[in-house]
Amino acid sequence: FFGGLKVCTMSQNLIVIGNGMVGHQLVEYLVAGGAHKKWQIVVFCEEPRLAYNRMALSEYFNGKTAEDLSLVKGNFYEEFGIQTLIGQLATSIDTANKTVTSSSGAVFAYDKCVIATGSYPFVPPVPGSKGAGCFIYRTIEDLDAIQSFAKTCKKGVVVGGGLLGLECAQAMLNMGLETHVVEFAPRLMAVQLDEAAGAMLGRHIKSMGVKVHCSKNTQQIVGNNDKVEKMVFADGGELETDMIIFSAGIRPRDQIARDSGIKVGPRGGIEVDEFCLTSAQDVYSIGECALAGGRIYGLVAPGYTMARTVADHIVGKEAEPFTGADMSTKLKIVGCDVAVIGDSLGTSKADLESFTISQTSKGVYKKVVTNAAMDRIVGGIFVGNIDEYSTVLQMMLNEMPVPAEPESLILPANSGSAKIGGVDMLPDSAKLCSCHNVSKGEIVCAIKDGCLDVEAVKKCTKAGTGCGGCVPQLGELLQVEKAKMGVETTNYLCEHFKMSRQEVCHVIMVKRYTDFATVIKEHGTGIGCEICKPAVASILAQTWNDHIQRPDLAVLQDTNDYALGNMQRDGSYSVVPRTPGGEIHPKQLEILGHVGQKYGLYTKITGGQRVDFFGAKLHQLPSIWDDLHTQGFESGHAYAKALRTVKSCVGSTWCRYGVQDSVGWAVAIEERYKGIRMPHKFKMAVSGCTRECAEAQSKDLGIIAVKNGWNVYVCGNGGMKPRHADLIAEDLSDEMCQKICDRFIIFYCRTGDRLQRTARWLEQLEGGLDYLKQVIIEDSLGICGELEAQMQSIVDKFQCEWKTTCLNPEQRARFKTFINLPDDQQDDEHLVYQHERNQIRLPLLEPANPYPLPEPAAKPAIVKNGGGTEWVDVCPVTLFPDQSGVCAKVDKVQIAVVKVNKDQIYALHNYDPFADAHVISRGIVGDKAGVLKIASPLYKHNFALETGKCLAKPEVVLATYPVQVTAEGMIQVKSTPTNQYSP
């Protein structure tokens, strides 16, 4: 017996009523405890879809789909034999006979039952509140109805200035409506924030274009049958509006308990004990419908804690009683960071002490509340800057001693006060992840067991997979523990440079180096590799902007930059002309259509608002670009770690909601920053209003039009790890907007790590967004003028890379599939296409994309022994630069000829067995631990030039061929290999 529960050894029925976030988490805990092996679990899901993330509902208005918000991974319920009743409501519980009846009339017997029905939005009983144009904000269906109705509206009101209400206001802004918030209390978030904090938040929200009306008691909503018209207040005031969304708090959904004779509290909520058991035998209640210790817990983390308690109780583990939960929280409200800890208002006792810092000009308010002895934290408030939130929270939760001067916890970093805290000082019992109740000790154990990055820790412990607020602490703890374990955490660029990318960038700028040979001679070792060569090439380009196809620079370039095109999985390329801002003339479309037809290219409109051609062969690229650059098209740099596109909506030129010319500004921005090399690819967008049709807040640098100018957002990211961009500056003129963009881009170029997107860069930037603002807005380092000057220097030296290449015979000559054959024999028989929807495409694969192959493709038949015993001319040794390669076709065998220098020439088969493509000759030449090698351009497998061995898998050996240079300087090969391919 554990907690009064007998362990079951035979199949029994467990019914879960409700499939919200807490109900779903309960099921996950049950499965983790093995309950699905002993219990037949039935889940009532009233909504038409399984559990989704209600905390991210506002993201639905930013383009996220219901699938994006889903909490259910794959076929989770089917995989573990759990029955789901989607779209069915549990209407009653017969506690005597232990059955549950559904809205369809079906009756289900239970041995255990869990009520997880959550809460419902409170709608004030105001005349007219149920009329047309009035909505609640709770489910995806609510959001669909709101979105549909909003299309006919210009102005909207959110009733409620609490957490949910302000999140709803953000959604209304995103729909492009003039947004108002009506709050009964004298300030926003009155339950959590004091008067000064509420005022600070109010100023920020107003600066975002939201009109705030506090101390308003709505008496009536006036409207007709089709739409609401206005709100009438008790003070005689009125507010005209087209729609109203009620988000004025929640109430527990306890009706099923009331109807079933289960005890509820005087003000609602299903009464539960410390194991979340109700007054009915074998019936539990968790989440926002449960009244635990006389309190409703309206956050997801306490609900998850209740779920764990119940899951453990049901499966027979020694369950930890639920005796309450910390209600501290942090979130972003209409672009403003807000965090609240414990007794934030200091009302629990009469003799508490509080310490506050208010910086109105920066929009920052911080407060810590201590006990009378000033040695323990009781609560705290953070608005505008929450850097100290995690430290102060852990000090409160773990009853850690407070510094002699408690205000030092929240003083600005430049105040001279020593900063307190750090994850290392926390006890192992400290709960770093409150959502999933994960302690520091558990995370440390995971790290010691081999979880050496944040993603591995998250996967092992689930820490950081809830609200995500603890992720920065996970990263900090990882660094601390890895250092204790002696795990090296250097930031060296590679084995050739004992320097970080930032340090390499610095020496190139200070020493004014313009070539790789000097950089590696003075500061590195060896000849370089596929890591450092492209990195240094990028730094040289962002500093001096010389043409990247200059012979000594071309050999440094990564796969795509080397050919000025995106290499596809078969070794062919894509071609993407630039269409600034997505604006294009019909005549230009005709030109693009002609090019696509002429070369038989697959053609598609990209997500970045431009035309993309696929299936171009290496030798075709100069001819294709002849046809494009002579008609005024420039390279779109889709192949580069550089600005890709500046996406735009039509803005004020056409749209009835637009407040600025977003297309014109997007074109100007793209023309300015085109071609600039950066640590990683870089995307921008300009939206003409806060409806955000260009999705600027998901870009590295986003610009949104407001009535007074432009708002700039930084460090957003889509892709595998999406991140919403942060607002860094508001109401900017064109001139100031450009200056901020100049400074941001160059500062990122100077300090970003290799292949580091801006989102991850900001997360790892010491001081975060506040420091970035200090540098590029307040000019705290005194370098803003220097950053702008560097940008202008780069802009002034712009040249279309393809136009320059096409006009240079030497550079153009490099674009040949087979260096030793005439132009009419350049086609590669291995490039085979199918036809679908009247266009070419690569053959279908099963699975869809198996590359890179874990083991080499076993195709020795294509490695043909040409049988040639005579030397065959390839090309003059001077035709291509040192440390690069070309491909020769000899006796139907493709041979990669690689030149380290004129005295070191190697020949090996051109086939990459891990990519199943003939591309080796286009890889980067380098060395590893003294072994000369070439990195295949597709997936970077390295092969020794002399032996053909794969350095990662020595048992895989490419064929190598005899090679020589004649006295006249001609490279020659034989087609009979000196060794044989080994799959």
Side-chain angles (χ1 to χ4, degrees), residues 906-908 926 931-935 941-952 956-960 979:
Y906 300 90
L908 60 163
V931 176
L932 293 172
K933 66 183 181 68
I934 188 167
H941 284 90
N942 286 282
F943 297 92
L945 292 176
E946 187 171 357
T947 64
K949 285 186 178 181
C950 175
L951 300 189
V956 178
V957 183
L958 299 186
T960 58
N979 67 351

Side-chain angles (χ1 to χ4, degrees), residues 144-224:
D144 286 337
I146 289 169
Q147 275 190 316
S148 177
F149 192 85
K151 293 177 181 178
T152 64
C153 301
K154 293 184 178 180
K155 181 189 290 188
V157 172
V158 176
V159 176
L163 294 174
L164 293 176
L166 295 177
E167 179 186 341
C168 183
Q170 176 69 71
M172 189 172 282
L173 269 180
N174 291 344
M175 291 189 292
L177 301 185
E178 179 183 318
T179 303
H180 296 252
V181 172
V182 171
E183 169 57 41
F184 178 79
R187 63 181 180 274
L188 298 176
M189 290 183 63
V191 175
Q192 295 91 1
L193 303 184
D194 60 23
E195 184 175 352
M200 190 72 76
L201 177 61
R203 279 192 289 272
H204 172 83
I205 288 177
K206 290 174 184 176
S207 73
M208 295 295 291
V210 178
K211 296 175 175 62
V212 179
H213 311 266
C214 291
S215 301
K216 291 294 183 181
N217 183 359
T218 306
Q219 295 293 294
Q220 184 182 3
I221 296 172
V222 179
N224 54 39

